[in-house]
Amino acid sequence: MRVKGRTFPGLYLPGIQDCTYEVLGHQGLPTARAASYDDLVSGRYHYQRVTVEGIVRTVSPNEETASIARVALGTRIIEVQVEEAPGERSLVDSRVRISGLAAGHINDRRQLLDPYLRCSGWAEFEILTAAPDHDGVPVVSTQELLTFDVEGQGGHRVRVAGTVLATF
């Protein structure tokens, strides 16, 4: 691509205004770079194609033809904006690899506050480990929730069984 224009500081990265461009060819999307949450929050890959791995926490509609997926990258949660409505298959509690554009919310001081990913569709989600069905989710007691485990927290959902004694 050939681009002509004037550079300006931009909100976070420099931009080009009053530009003209000419497409010289198209070789497809660039290869996504593996990134961690720390890479995203640092702005290192801002507006570059990245890939992350994590566990899907929630998927919800966002407007008529878009979705928001919240994905745990270790102990941190990142929002993934998907330009398609939620799919038929539930991804909640699946371990996935996502390729998308690293972006983020920028404040008036040109600081990156909250990173997120943008994806054109659900095809950019690769299921590494599918979520277990309802019967496969382990049952734990309330005493076992959020307690120390030498093997660490698995990051997946659990079920709690018991009797409700009161509601407020």
Side-chain angles (χ1 to χ4, degrees), residues 60-150:
S60 56
N62 182 30
E63 302 173 6
E64 286 183 25
T65 59
S67 307
I68 298 288
R70 295 188 46 168
V71 179
L73 305 181
T75 60
R76 307 303 294 265
I77 304 288
I78 191 163
E79 185 176 280
V80 181
Q81 299 177 3
V82 184
E83 299 299 321
E84 287 182 345
E88 298 294 319
R89 182 175 180 205
S90 176
L91 291 175
V92 173
D93 206 30
S94 295
R95 182 159 191 72
V96 296
R97 180 179 297 126
I98 306 165
S99 296
L101 182 70
H105 300 286
I106 310 297
N107 68 11
D108 293 337
R109 294 182 180 155
R110 299 180 66 201
Q111 298 166 321
L112 176 63
L113 299 179
D114 188 24
Y116 61 86
L117 292 184
R118 295 187 61 115
C119 294
S120 61
W122 294 106
E124 296 192 69
F125 282 65
E126 176 188 351
I127 298 174
L128 302 174
T129 307
D133 61 6
H134 179 71
D135 294 332
V137 176
V139 178
V140 299
S141 70
T142 55
Q143 289 83 13
E144 294 174 284
L145 287 175
L146 301 175
T147 58
F148 174 75
D149 182 352
V150 75

